Amino acid sequence: MSEEAPWRDEGTRREVDFGRVGGKSYRALVRHAVGERAADAVLEGIRRMLRHRSGTPYEDLYVHDMRDGLLVGSVVKARAPKRVEFTEGLARATSAAVDDGAKIVIVHNHPDSFPPSAADIRSLIANRARRGIIACHDGSLYVFEVVGNPVPGYSIDDATIRMLSQLRGGNESDLLRGYEESLGVRVEHLR
């Protein structure tokens, strides 16, 4: 579900900062992202994911219901570096959960600790998720949600993400503001 952001160095930050991820302040970040009722279950999934993928370029994906943290399903055997995709079965389970009223959050890791890719955003839309969370190996989280539509002339694709990154001069806060202003996607970087 990800493409590398151009300002990030290849291969950096792949070892998970377990000191940060294991702390109480990290639980507070997760609680901010999903609410109190789902926080413990989502936190457990994030920690499992990061233990599994620390030091590697691979990603795992978990789908939870934010109402109570219930795990809808996961993908933990992705074989392509920096990429994880919904299986047919997980897509069906997620759709059924949404139809039953679930407030879906898609959680996956980014080994190089970068913001959402076009594929991440498109996955959120395709699976009718309320929110996405990227658990970065540096111990931070990106929380993102679709709040509007792209402005005319913009689309949610890799070229647009690269262009926004270049236009914003590598400044992350400017880039995240560009996601919302140009693509209709609010992104918050929690540290």
Side-chain angles (χ1 to χ4, degrees):
M1 271 179 45
S2 66
E3 293 290 326
E4 188 163 353
W7 74 82
R8 299 287 187 170
D9 294 329
E10 181 71 31
T12 60
R13 297 190 173 113
R14 287 196 181 145
E15 293 294 328
V16 173
D17 182 347
F18 287 111
R20 175 118 172 87
V21 171
K24 288 181 183 179
S25 64
Y26 195 78
R27 185 192 186 283
L29 297 179
V30 174
R31 185 180 63 242
H32 175 80
V34 298
E36 185 62 44
R37 295 183 71 188
D40 288 336
V42 172
L43 177 61
E44 180 183 326
I46 288 172
R47 287 178 174 162
R48 185 180 325 115
M49 171 189 311
L50 293 176
R51 280 191 305 272
H52 182 230
R53 295 305 192 177
S54 183
T56 76
Y58 301 105
E59 298 179 9
D60 286 351
L61 180 145
Y62 291 79
V63 176
H64 290 272
D65 184 345
M66 289 193 304
R67 296 176 303 177
D68 55 12
L70 181 70
L71 180 65
V72 175
S74 63
V75 177
V76 297
K77 295 182 180 181
R79 301 278 188 238
K82 295 189 251 178
R83 184 169 193 79
V84 63
E85 296 179 1
F86 270 69
T87 62
E88 248 181 71
L90 181 55
R92 279 192 309 272
T94 301
S95 182
V98 170
D99 290 345
D100 286 341
K103 295 179 181 179
I104 295 298
V105 61
I106 300 171
V107 184
H108 73 288
N109 64 302
H110 274 183
D112 294 327
S113 301
F114 49 86
S117 68
D120 296 336
I121 297 165
R122 288 191 309 264
S123 179
L124 209 64
I125 295 165
N127 292 290
R128 301 182 290 154
R130 288 278 177 100
R131 189 166 293 150
I133 297 176
I134 297 170
C136 299
H137 288 206
D138 69 0
S140 67
L141 298 173
Y142 284 101
V143 180
F144 60 106
E145 58 190 350
V146 176
V147 295
N149 294 312
V151 298
Y154 285 81
S155 58
I156 300 172
D157 58 25
D158 296 335
T160 300
I161 299 288
R162 279 191 301 275
M163 183 208 46
L164 283 173
S165 180
Q166 291 168 351
L167 288 174
R168 303 299 172 140
N171 180 302
E172 185 183 60
S173 60
D174 285 347
L175 173 64
L176 300 184
R177 194 169 34 261
Y179 272 72
E180 186 165 359
E181 292 169 356
S182 302
L183 301 178
V185 178
R186 182 175 301 130
V187 182
E188 187 177 8
H189 193 180
L190 305 178
R191 302 167 218 224

